[in-house]
Amino acid sequence: MNDYTDAYMDNDKYAKNLGITLVDLKKEYARCELEITENHKNGLGSLHGAVIFALADIAFAAACNTVKISIGMQAEIKYLNKPTGNKLIAEATVLSSSNKIGHYQVNITDNNGIHIAQFNSISYRLKDVC
């Protein structure tokens, strides 16, 4: 998308440690994917909710940083279904935006088309991307 966004994602060590990849990036849109492994499971053997949240948050960060250097102000998630597939897909899109605030929604599905979670967030825009 731009040098800033590319550098931002390249430097996101947490995303790399989780195995999250950025597969598509456009103005105020991002698609990230994660192959589910045993390292992503909780004590009950299910996918850890924090992994789902992190995937959504990383997609949100990628999308909102395509226009202006931004930080998250608020985020909430609704967990809807347990994944049946072996991959999660997060698609972040802008719902509305102004010079200082961006409202985003991230839909998380699995590779079987199951809607796993819905993440809503607000970004505060600091300055234009370099």
Side-chain angles (χ1 to χ4, degrees):
M1 181 74 197
N2 57 54
D3 291 340
Y4 173 75
T5 307
D6 292 341
Y8 176 86
M9 289 306 294
D10 287 343
N11 290 326
D12 193 329
K13 307 276 190 273
Y14 188 63
K16 287 181 182 180
N17 285 336
L18 287 174
I20 295 170
T21 56
L22 178 65
V23 296
D24 193 12
L25 187 65
K26 300 173 189 149
K27 183 179 178 183
E28 298 195 288
Y29 169 86
R31 178 183 168 124
C32 293
E33 295 182 356
L34 168 73
E35 293 283 339
I36 300 169
T37 70
E38 289 300 310
N39 291 331
H40 299 121
K41 306 260 175 106
N42 62 23
L44 299 174
S46 298
L47 181 63
H48 202 295
V51 173
I52 299 168
F53 188 97
L55 173 64
D57 191 50
I58 290 163
F60 157 62
C64 72
N65 276 284
T66 59
V67 178
K68 291 191 175 224
I69 297 172
S70 303
I71 57 172
M73 288 178 49
Q74 180 272 335
E76 67 178 357
I77 193 165
K78 295 178 183 106
Y79 298 101
L80 305 170
N81 292 294
K82 181 178 177 178
T84 60
N86 62 353
K87 181 191 288 188
L88 292 181
I89 300 116
E91 288 190 277
T93 55
V94 67
L95 297 175
S96 68
S97 63
S98 68
N99 191 40
K100 289 290 184 186
I101 304 291
H103 294 265
Y104 290 81
Q105 182 171 301
V106 183
N107 288 311
I108 302 96
T109 58
D110 71 9
N111 57 312
N112 290 333
I114 304 296
H115 196 175
I116 306 305
Q118 183 177 326
F119 179 94
N120 292 292
S121 51
I122 301 171
S123 67
Y124 182 75
R125 297 172 171 188
L126 300 171
K127 64 180 183 174
D128 288 337
V129 172
C130 304

